Amino acid sequence: MASSVLFSSLGVSVFKLQGHFSSYKKKDSYVVNVSSSKINVLHTDMPMEEQLEVFEVDPDLVTHAQHLNYRNEEYMKCKEKIEKYEGGLDKFSSGFLKFGFNRTGNCIVYNEWAPAAQSAQLVGDFNNWDGSQHWMSKDEFGVWTIRIPDVQGKPAIPHRSRVKIRLQRGDGTWLDRIPAWIKWATAEPGKLGANYDGIYWDPPAPEKYEFKHPQPPKPLAPRIYEAHVGMSSVKPHVASYIEFADNVLPRIKANNYNTVQLMAVMEHSYYASFGYHVTNFFAVSSRSGTPEDLKYLIDKAHALGLRVLIDVVHSHASNNIHDGLNGYDFGQSSEFSYFHTGDCGYHNLWDSRLFNYGHWEVQRFLLSNLRWWLDEYKFDGFRFDGVTSMLYHHHGIHMSFTGKYHEYFGLSTDVEAVVYLMLANELVHAMYPEVTVIAEDVSGMPTLCRPVHEGGIGFDFRLAMGIPDKWIQLIKNVRDEHWQMGDICHTLTDRRYTEKCIAYAESHDQSIVGDKTFAFLLMDKEMYTGMSTFEPVTPIVDRGIALHKLIHFLTMALGGEGYLNFMGNEFGHPEWVDFPRDGNNWSYDKCRRRWDLLDMDHLRYKFMNNFNRDMNKLDEKFNFLASTKQIISSASEKDKVIVFEKGSLVFVFNFHPQNTYEGYKVGCDLPGKYRVAFDSDSLEYGGYGRVGHDSDHFTNPEGEPGKPLTNFNNRPNSFMVLSPARTCQVYYKVRET
């Protein structure tokens, strides 16, 4: 879910001293003077050797040393308390071994934190919903407990039976709630808006799925396929985990992605929320199947060499009191609730509840939630949703971030939430070194993707959320002959190179109802009439396919250290996503993927898919995404051509609508012989096959050795290429024999 903020310019190091801030260096230690009106932490004067490592990575951060030191001190205090009272993050994050339902010997033990309740009973099918024989006891920390012995050698609560906790409020009234740590929750099939039931999930050994395949190693760079299981079928219905595993995973593998990012896995009672209004944090969404079905999906992905990330939503929770965690809030103080009280506990734009991240039991619940998905389901990492909302008390609402550092470090920063994220990243990276953790943050907070031990927040990547906004603005408002090459390059490279990004042209956010996919923006109604290869290509479709390829590939090649694509966009899916709801008469027509269009060999959708497949294959072969070498040698406004080097490759993008350049001179680093490695003008990509792939391109030296200013576009060598209009080519250096 994209945060409700506008993204502005974000540079590698854009902060300049201003206003209330000043810094100076004294005796090898930094002293920062900060106005008391801006920040309320104590003055520190630390020796240089005790400074956080992030100050060495980005010296501009020193101006905000007090805030960053304070943040790190709060993290260390919290971690030390966890070690003192819980035995460390490992034990603390294993809350699912205590809370919820667990087997201990010949008993089922159920624990629930509900300090505001006056009394509690366990009810369900097993006792005919009569809790009079199953009263629970409460300890000093507000945890309710009950032990239920087996009956004649069998569990007293049968597998798959319905259960709830019955809680008595202070006014004497009783409420039934789904256990907070429930592993599965279901609603009556076919009944829209039905309340959910908690399901006791403890399958006998023959029914329990056993993983057969090892988790794939962490790739040099993630090429991520973002997918929603429920809408992954060509049929207008909710697809299952089994269907996705058998029908969609092979497509993802064939297109050379190495990572799948699953949305809407955590149970959410409102289907149209795209999975972002979570009700049951430990439960697999029952619309698509059982926990064992999801394990089958993940295991099959691993068998194909695909890693699987889960879209984890710890930024907020559904306000649904009947089915979700919000049902444990009886209006008590934050001390006895998962959420903040008053305005602090409610997100106005998302209509959802906000966690009290500084609370002990909230930290246990959320950290254990991460462990649960990694341990039980063998997920390979997370994409944290709504991180911008977590980082700031204003949640990014009506904010336009400019990249100036004072926007990130001050009283508007929610330090408790930051500390939670530091704990989360420290936990998962320490215990699972191969995990990948991605932040959905539109603000561009510095240190977000630096390790916790340096004083950073600890994510591996953040999503480069400004890129799709730029493309949408250009496609909708500017004729492509007027696109500014320098402006495009600035947007794609406007990131801190010490903090890695996942680039994407369009994710699910750009495909939801009210907007259009990029393919539909470019070709509109002609996607219904002009996609057959039995008819000559129309100018609109020809332009649309050409620009679709250029936009996605340039974003991939220049926009970050990883790449993401939303399900269907690889072949130019023609329509938006609209979940069944009252406003569309509960239709599933736009809540599916039109694989049938791709599978019809006479339709031009195959050209975009083939191109997407092979641009991923190019990275698989040359590993250019992971390379730290990225040099733009030319962004010609006159020619509408962008030339750059990424890794060992030379990229040439010609955005001009008409001009084809013969003998176009491009700069490069190393001398030698170059050949075409990839060409959007190839016939199999819907192009015209004008570029010779077997041609040798020999370099010529440029300028005086050792004097870059005398070189061609600051490159010591050059070679000549053919660059057709609206195409791109990639060149590799041929090994000398």
Side-chain angles (χ1 to χ4, degrees):
M1 178 184 294
S3 200
S4 56
V5 296
L6 298 175
F7 183 88
S8 297
S9 175
L10 176 63
V12 175
S13 179
V14 299
F15 181 80
K16 303 298 181 185
L17 299 180
Q18 58 186 302
H20 294 275
F21 298 86
S22 64
S23 70
Y24 58 92
K25 191 174 180 182
K26 177 184 178 183
K27 296 181 180 179
D28 293 327
S29 66
Y30 283 95
V31 180
V32 183
N33 297 330
V34 185
S35 167
S36 60
S37 67
K38 300 296 288 184
I39 195 166
N40 63 349
V41 298
L42 295 176
H43 175 81
T44 59
D45 185 0
M46 299 175 66
M48 193 64 180
E49 61 270 15
E50 296 180 21
Q51 290 285 339
L52 299 174
E53 291 182 44
V54 289
F55 300 145
E56 298 178 21
V57 175
D58 185 353
D60 285 338
L61 291 171
V62 174
T63 309
H64 298 280
Q66 286 191 307
H67 179 93
L68 291 165
N69 285 330
Y70 170 71
R71 186 178 84 179
N72 197 64
E73 288 165 7
E74 291 299 297
Y75 159 73
M76 293 302 298
K77 288 178 185 176
C78 189
K79 187 177 178 183
E80 288 168 3
K81 286 181 181 178
I82 290 172
E83 291 171 351
K84 179 178 179 180
Y85 296 109
E86 297 283 352
L89 277 172
D90 183 359
K91 292 183 179 179
F92 188 53
S93 62
S94 300
F96 48 82
L97 299 178
K98 174 185 177 183
F99 288 87
F101 294 92
N102 286 283
R103 292 284 302 173
T104 302
N106 60 351
C107 290
I108 294 174
V109 180
Y110 171 52
N111 289 297
E112 194 74 77
W113 182 67
Q118 303 304 302
S119 300
Q121 300 174 346
L122 181 62
V123 296
D125 293 332
F126 76 100
N127 62 10
N128 293 316
W129 301 91
D130 178 5
S132 60
Q133 300 301 313
H134 293 94
W135 289 87
M136 302 179 71
S137 60
K138 183 181 182 181
D139 69 11
E140 59 183 309
F141 302 108
V143 177
W144 296 92
T145 302
I146 188 171
R147 297 173 66 89
I148 306 176
D150 292 348
V151 178
Q152 298 180 350
K154 294 183 179 180
I157 306 176
H159 168 55
R160 281 181 176 262
S161 61
R162 297 177 297 167
V163 289
K164 285 192 175 182
I165 185 172
R166 184 164 290 165
L167 301 170
Q168 186 181 38
R169 299 194 301 185
D171 61 5
T173 58
W174 291 83
L175 301 168
D176 287 0
R177 295 290 182 255
I178 295 176
W181 300 68
I182 201 72
K183 306 305 188 296
W184 204 42
T186 62
E188 185 177 339
K191 186 176 180 180
L192 296 171
N195 285 344
Y196 274 66
D197 290 304
I199 304 297
Y200 177 70
W201 192 261
D202 186 22
E207 298 178 27
K208 187 173 295 187
Y209 188 87
E210 298 294 338
F211 287 91
K212 305 174 182 64
H213 304 283
Q215 295 175 248
K218 192 173 186 175
L220 291 174
R223 300 188 299 274
I224 302 171
Y225 195 87
E226 183 186 38
H228 185 291
V229 170
M231 55 171 286
S232 65
S233 173
V234 71
K235 299 177 182 177
H237 75 150
V238 179
S240 70
Y241 299 119
I242 303 296
E243 286 180 273
F244 185 89
D246 292 343
N247 301 328
V248 182
L249 283 180
R251 293 181 183 271
I252 300 172
K253 177 63 177 178
N255 270 43
N256 297 306
Y257 288 91
N258 56 32
T259 305
V260 183
Q261 180 181 299
L262 292 183
M263 308 172 63
V265 172
M266 303 162 82
E267 187 60 81
H268 51 290
S269 62
Y270 182 47
Y271 192 45
S273 76
F274 234 133
Y276 291 117
H277 278 211
V278 174
T279 47
N280 313 102
F281 284 77
F282 287 81
V284 168
S285 180
S286 59
R287 290 183 184 84
S288 293
T290 69
E292 310 312 301
D293 294 339
L294 177 60
K295 292 175 183 177
Y296 169 81
L297 184 163
I298 296 170
D299 200 29
K300 182 158 188 177
H302 289 164
L304 293 171
L306 294 168
R307 286 161 60 86
V308 189
L309 310 181
I310 180 175
D311 216 354
V312 67
V313 186
H314 285 182
S315 49
H316 61 136
S318 172
N319 67 0
N320 181 327
I321 61 172
H322 299 292
D323 306 321
L325 202 61
N326 193 31
Y328 289 83
D329 186 348
F330 307 146
Q332 65 266 28
S333 68
S334 291
E335 181 184 357
F336 301 108
S337 173
Y338 287 98
F339 308 107
H340 284 297
T341 58
D343 292 342
C344 292
Y346 182 74
H347 198 295
N348 290 314
L349 292 185
W350 294 347
D351 189 24
S352 55
R353 296 304 308 274
L354 296 171
F355 287 106
N356 179 5
Y357 296 106
H359 196 285
W360 196 263
E361 292 304 329
V362 174
Q363 292 173 356
R364 186 200 307 275
F365 183 85
L366 295 178
L367 292 173
S368 297
N369 189 234
L370 299 177
R371 283 286 302 278
W372 172 252
W373 295 110
L374 295 175
D375 285 355
E376 183 71 12
Y377 291 96
K378 309 301 180 188
F379 276 102
D380 302 288
F382 305 103
R383 180 266 202 181
F384 270 70
D385 172 70
V387 169
T388 305
S389 178
M390 300 175 70
L391 293 175
Y392 310 99
H393 293 298
H394 53 62
H395 309 301
I397 299 174
H398 306 309
M399 286 294 297
S400 180
F401 292 93
T402 66
K404 296 177 180 178
Y405 283 22
H406 71 274
E407 297 169 341
Y408 308 113
F409 308 119
L411 293 178
S412 64
T413 304
D414 189 339
V415 174
E416 289 184 344
V418 172
V419 167
Y420 163 67
L421 291 173
M422 293 171 74
L423 289 170
N425 281 306
E426 173 70 14
L427 167 72
V428 298
H429 284 108
M431 297 197 64
Y432 312 87
E434 292 290 288
V435 299
T436 298
V437 189
I438 302 167
E440 188 212 34
D441 170 45
V442 74
S443 76
M445 175 181 272
T447 75
L448 185 71
C449 298
R450 297 305 303 177
V452 174
H453 67 79
E454 291 183 0
I457 298 177
F459 287 98
D460 297 309
F461 299 89
R462 76 169 181 89
L463 290 175
M465 300 180 70
I467 294 176
D469 293 344
K470 169 57 69 174
W471 287 124
I472 290 171
Q473 182 260 328
L474 289 175
I475 295 171
K476 287 185 175 181
N477 304 318
V478 184
R479 293 179 61 88
D480 57 292
E481 55 261 42
H482 300 308
W483 290 2
Q484 297 297 304
M485 301 297 100
D487 184 41
I488 291 172
C489 288
H490 173 74
T491 297
L492 292 173
T493 60
D494 196 15
R495 62 188 186 273
R496 297 179 182 86
Y497 285 94
T498 58
E499 302 189 42
K500 296 180 181 179
C501 289
I502 301 293
Y504 64 100
E506 49 181 336
S507 69
H508 69 276
D509 283 324
Q510 285 69 46
S511 302
I512 58 177
V513 66
D515 214 325
K516 299 176 181 178
T517 64
F518 280 18
F520 209 52
L521 282 173
L522 290 165
M523 294 177 274
D524 206 73
K525 62 183 179 182
E526 292 211 17
M527 296 198 78
Y528 299 121
T529 59
M531 297 300 282
S532 173
T533 58
F534 296 148
E535 300 291 337
V537 65
T538 68
I540 289 177
V541 170
D542 193 37
R543 170 186 178 271
I545 292 177
L547 288 179
H548 190 273
K549 292 183 291 186
L550 294 184
I551 288 169
H552 286 81
F553 187 43
L554 183 61
T555 297
M556 178 196 196
L558 204 55
E561 292 74 33
Y563 178 70
L564 178 142
N565 170 73
F566 177 62
M567 179 175 63
N569 290 338
E570 70 277 11
F571 65 87
H573 201 282
E575 295 170 336
W576 58 88
V577 176
D578 189 8
F579 285 87
R581 55 189 174 84
D582 187 50
N584 64 13
N585 295 318
W586 304 101
S587 170
Y588 285 87
D589 184 61
K590 297 294 189 294
C591 195
R592 57 186 178 130
R593 295 288 87 178
R594 296 295 306 274
W595 306 112
D596 55 319
L597 299 175
L598 172 59
D599 293 339
M600 295 181 190
D601 193 56
H602 71 284
L603 295 184
R604 291 188 165 90
Y605 294 97
K606 66 180 181 181
F607 296 140
M608 290 176 280
N609 187 76
N610 291 346
F611 183 80
N612 180 271
R613 175 198 67 204
D614 289 349
M615 75 183 200
N616 283 325
K617 186 177 181 180
L618 185 73
D619 179 63
E620 195 169 272
K621 181 177 181 180
F622 291 99
N623 295 316
F624 63 86
L625 270 174
S627 175
T628 57
K629 178 183 178 182
Q630 178 169 297
I631 301 168
I632 298 173
S633 59
S634 177
S636 172
E637 304 300 348
K638 175 179 175 292
D639 298 337
K640 298 299 178 189
V641 174
I642 299 171
V643 180
F644 63 93
E645 293 157 72
K646 185 73 178 285
S648 62
L649 301 175
V650 178
F651 296 75
V652 183
F653 281 78
N654 182 353
F655 278 90
H656 202 287
Q658 293 94 26
N659 289 356
T660 291
Y661 303 108
E662 294 187 29
Y664 195 81
K665 189 175 181 179
V666 300
C668 65
D669 184 12
L670 300 176
K673 181 172 66 177
Y674 286 79
R675 283 186 180 173
V676 171
F678 190 46
D679 172 23
S680 71
D681 198 46
S682 294
L683 297 175
E684 64 178 321
Y685 309 142
Y688 296 92
R690 289 165 287 187
V691 179
H693 293 188
D694 295 329
S695 300
D696 293 331
H697 303 266
F698 293 94
T699 62
N700 290 309
E702 294 289 341
E704 299 178 40
K707 295 183 179 180
L709 292 179
T710 66
N711 294 341
F712 174 72
N713 290 337
N714 287 316
R715 308 312 292 144
N717 295 282
S718 69
F719 58 93
M720 312 293 274
V721 301
L722 171 64
S723 178
R726 287 192 181 130
T727 70
C728 62
Q729 289 76 38
V730 183
Y731 296 86
Y732 73 100
K733 185 178 180 297
V734 179
R735 287 186 179 181
E736 298 179 7
T737 56

